[in-house]
Amino acid sequence: MGFSTDAIHAGQETDPTTGAVSVPIYQTSTYEMVELGKTTGYDYARTINPTRAALERSIAALERGQRGFAFASGMAGINAVFSMLSSGDHVVISENVYGGTFRLINGVLKNFGLTFTFVDSSNQAAIESAMTGSTKMVFIETPTNPILTLTDIEATASLCRRRGCDLVVDNTFMSPFLQSPLELGADLVVHSTTKFLNGHSDSVGGAVVAVKKEHIERLHFIQKSAGAVLSPMDSWLVLRGIKTLGVRMERHESNARTIADFLDGHEKVRRVLYPGLDSHPQHALAARQARGFGGMISFELGSYDAAKRFLDALQICTLAESLGGVETLISHSASMTHASVPQHERQRLGIKDDLVRLSVGIEDAEDLIADLRRGLDRIEA
Ligand SMILES: *Cc1c(COP(=O)(O)O)cnc(C)c1O
């Protein structure tokens, strides 16, 4: 089936008992047994819930995987993936990962005997030379946040196969509409459903999609044991969001292209980072491994002061963390999403104090451009 047909129907079958077209919200913690020793297939809602199960089938279908797992947040999903490892195991990870992933590793997981090497994963040789005999996993985010650096998924997957480790891709920024890491050879995909999948800035959630039997069994065990499951209400919200993922992503992307071109030609904008621009150093890779360039744009305004004047003048673009909603959200990475990354590390990664990140929404492009122009006009020449 085509993507949007799956987005509307896969996992979201009509309810067999009532014919309800929308998957019901099964707001229950437990299920009555048929008789002693016999259940309906449902026993307790941490282990299984029909609304969550529908979402898990839906996301698995969209990512072209075998099985999906829904978690209480993107971070809970990422934590579940790392929970598959054992003390002594080593992970190679993109140095420019989501700030929360960085914090989870440095503040929590390192205390459990797991070791991590952060590398510039846009460089295949850097990934390979960081691998040791204990490397069990390579974790990449592509494009990265907020610098929008890409990692070659197919090349990294074949490196991982050669070295006998698993490749995990955080696909939050592209969504399954634009990028299919599992088809390019990745073993696991993680998502913050909070972003494009739900798309309406009204739910926090996460998902993991697996292909291999051993991963599926382990993740299922971790999900029910650690229990960071997505609630029935949130599962339903994400199911509803997913139905329009295709049309939303098309609009996010077409608005983003228009805005990237506008910013790229503006005298007060130092530099625009958008994989869809010819000037992006990995434009060709972006065109090859994804079906589009997405809705995220970062740009530099010259100084913190310029960024502040610009941000404070905006009226439509909302100054807030997060991304992927129907509304355009704008953020200052250094002081917001990446505040937990030490200053010297931010500088090294290129997350400078003048960098602004735009999650382009699905409003009318002309209105967004007028708003951005209002902000740029406030910057002194
Ligand atoms: C937001 C985000 C996460 C974390 O997800 P939460 O739902 O906020 O826990 C992980 N990875 C990326 C790329 C994100 O943007």
Side-chain angles (χ1 to χ4, degrees):
M1 292 289 173
F3 186 91
S4 286
T5 307
D6 275 345
I8 290 164
H9 297 288
Q12 309 214 41
E13 298 84 13
T14 300
D15 180 50
T17 49
T18 63
V21 168
S22 166
V23 173
I25 301 168
Y26 285 88
Q27 196 69 45
T28 186
S29 60
T30 192
Y31 310 86
E32 186 180 14
M33 294 181 80
V34 180
E35 59 184 64
L36 192 61
K38 190 174 170 199
T39 70
T40 56
Y42 296 88
D43 47 14
Y44 185 63
R46 168 158 35 72
T47 310
I48 185 165
N49 174 281
T51 318
R52 191 176 84 227
L55 173 63
E56 292 174 335
R57 289 195 302 275
S58 168
I59 295 182
L62 299 183
E63 283 290 355
R64 310 298 182 216
Q66 286 300 317
R67 178 82 190 259
F69 299 92
F71 292 91
S73 68
M75 290 319 307
I78 291 169
N79 191 49
V81 166
F82 288 133
S83 300
M84 296 197 293
L85 300 170
S86 305
S87 171
D89 287 348
H90 176 249
V91 180
V92 179
I93 180 163
S94 301
E95 62 184 3
N96 193 200
V97 277
Y98 176 72
T101 306
F102 183 85
R103 184 172 54 199
L104 173 71
I105 288 168
N106 285 308
V108 181
L109 298 174
K110 277 191 170 170
N111 301 338
F112 290 86
L114 298 175
T115 57
F116 295 83
T117 304
F118 289 89
V119 300
D120 172 5
S121 60
S122 66
N123 176 356
Q124 287 293 308
I127 302 179
E128 183 152 26
S129 65
M131 288 177 163
T132 71
S134 310
T135 306
K136 294 285 160 54
M137 193 180 272
V138 172
F139 186 105
I140 62 173
E141 211 176 290
T142 180
T144 58
N145 172 30
I147 302 300
L148 302 167
T149 303
L150 276 69
T151 296
D152 187 329
I153 299 173
E154 206 164 16
T156 312
S158 71
L159 170 62
C160 288
R161 262 194 307 281
R162 269 203 321 279
R163 299 291 295 248
C165 58
D166 293 322
L167 175 62
V168 185
V169 179
D170 183 332
N171 203 27
T172 301
F173 265 40
M174 294 306 274
S175 90
F177 181 71
L178 294 177
Q179 183 166 274
S180 302
L182 299 177
E183 289 188 335
L184 297 170
D187 300 285
L188 294 159
V189 162
V190 300
H191 272 286
S192 167
T193 62
T194 314
K195 315 298 168 52
F196 289 105
L197 281 171
N198 180 57
H200 294 74
S201 305
D202 52 14
S203 156
V204 169
V208 180
V209 180
V211 197
K212 291 185 181 149
K213 191 162 169 282
E214 67 267 27
H215 291 154
I216 291 168
E217 283 170 3
R218 192 69 195 145
L219 281 166
H220 184 234
F221 187 81
I222 289 167
Q223 186 194 37
K224 74 176 180 190
S225 303
V229 292
L230 192 64
S231 75
M233 179 71 198
D234 285 289
S235 297
W236 182 84
L237 283 168
V238 181
L239 279 169
R240 184 168 70 163
I242 280 176
K243 290 179 186 175
T244 56
L245 183 62
V247 287
R248 282 188 288 111
M249 291 312 295
E250 278 171 5
R251 177 64 171 249
H252 283 298
E253 164 141 354
S254 71
N255 277 357
R257 282 175 184 241
T258 308
I259 289 171
D261 286 337
F262 163 72
L263 291 171
D264 201 31
H266 199 285
E267 56 176 14
K268 288 183 183 159
V269 179
R270 278 275 169 88
R271 192 159 73 115
V272 182
L273 305 171
Y274 181 63
L277 290 174
D278 288 338
S279 61
H280 190 283
Q282 296 169 297
H283 177 67
L285 173 62
R288 191 169 77 237
Q289 78 177 7
R291 291 177 288 275
F293 303 106
M296 302 300 299
I297 303 173
S298 292
F299 51 102
E300 296 171 354
L301 292 172
S303 67
Y304 173 82
D305 187 55
K308 179 159 170 54
R309 281 170 170 274
F310 169 78
L311 291 168
D312 290 346
L314 300 175
Q315 291 174 9
I316 297 174
C317 302
T318 306
L319 181 61
E321 293 199 6
S322 199
L323 58 112
V326 290
E327 59 289 288
T328 297
L329 297 177
I330 196 158
S331 65
H332 179 252
S333 304
S335 69
M336 295 167 63
T337 52
H338 286 65
S340 64
V341 178
Q343 155 87 15
H344 63 276
E345 191 56 20
R346 283 202 305 268
Q347 288 298 324
R348 198 179 66 75
L349 296 173
I351 308 169
K352 295 189 255 165
D353 287 348
D354 69 335
L355 186 84
V356 167
R357 187 194 76 184
L358 192 61
S359 168
V360 180
I362 65 171
E363 300 97 334
D364 293 294
E366 315 81 86
D367 294 332
L368 295 175
I369 285 177
D371 198 36
L372 295 169
R373 189 175 276 127
R374 178 173 20 245
L376 291 167
D377 285 347
R378 288 293 171 84
I379 301 174
E380 280 149 15

